[in-house]
Amino acid sequence: MAVYTYKYPHPAVTVDCAVFAKEDGETKVLLIERKNEPCKGMWALPGGFMNIDESAEEAAVRELQEETGISVKEVAQTGAYSRVDRDPRERVVTIAFYAVIDKVCKVVGQDDAKQARWFPIDNLPELAFDHSEILTDAIRLACREK
């Protein structure tokens, strides 16, 4: 693997993934409860830091599997989110994605997710970071597909 060194500071890159499914005619979104700080105990979109040897799409699929047990083959990009103060740990830019699956399925909180759970999109808890903004954009895009 190549070693990268730069004269200029650069941000970390994360991915976040909104997964939508229908149950009894109601659209639901998959969220995880954060096990660790920052935002410990808050609900968030599944996601995490991108590895140096993977694409953003690969990272989104991997993080979704690691945190919830769900495997998806394809994700669509929602957008990039780069507000300077969006993560208190360090300068982080996230690339957000969404996926639509056929139906609500069993999920398990794993890795750094305390739990994973489906929520109706019209009855959501307060979300960590800027995930409300990301989710609003993902809902707009996912609903346009249908």
Side-chain angles (χ1 to χ4, degrees):
M1 177 182 357
V3 175
Y4 301 95
T5 58
Y6 297 99
K7 176 180 173 183
Y8 305 100
H10 53 278
V13 179
T14 60
V15 294
D16 292 299
C17 192
V19 179
F20 301 102
K22 292 260 188 193
E23 182 177 65
D24 300 325
E26 181 176 50
T27 301
K28 296 193 173 186
V29 64
L30 178 59
L31 300 175
I32 57 106
E33 181 183 359
R34 289 185 54 82
K35 190 188 300 185
N36 304 310
E37 294 292 352
C39 304
K40 181 179 180 179
M42 291 187 73
W43 291 93
L45 296 168
F49 288 90
M50 187 171 79
N51 293 330
I52 198 72
D53 63 346
E54 65 186 347
S55 70
E57 291 81 2
E58 290 167 338
V61 169
R62 175 185 52 78
E63 283 288 343
L64 185 60
Q65 166 67 45
E66 287 177 2
E67 291 189 344
T68 69
I70 286 187
S71 292
V72 297
K73 292 186 194 287
E74 287 186 27
V75 292
Q77 192 173 125
T78 304
Y81 299 81
S82 61
R83 194 178 72 234
V84 173
D85 63 348
R86 65 174 302 280
D87 190 316
R89 292 171 289 195
E90 63 181 313
R91 179 69 172 99
V92 174
V93 173
T94 198
I95 304 169
F97 296 89
Y98 69 93
V100 178
I101 62 174
D102 292 336
K103 61 184 178 186
V104 168
C105 58
K106 182 180 177 190
V107 292
V108 179
Q110 306 174 126
D111 194 35
D112 53 355
K114 184 174 180 182
Q115 64 174 311
R117 202 167 104 197
W118 293 96
F119 286 86
I121 61 170
D122 59 356
N123 188 19
L124 298 170
E126 181 180 352
L127 299 181
F129 307 107
D130 55 356
H131 288 195
S132 290
E133 176 187 353
I134 295 169
L135 185 53
T136 297
D137 292 347
I139 290 168
R140 179 179 44 81
L141 291 167
C143 291
R144 187 174 67 192
E145 276 188 356
K146 296 290 176 189

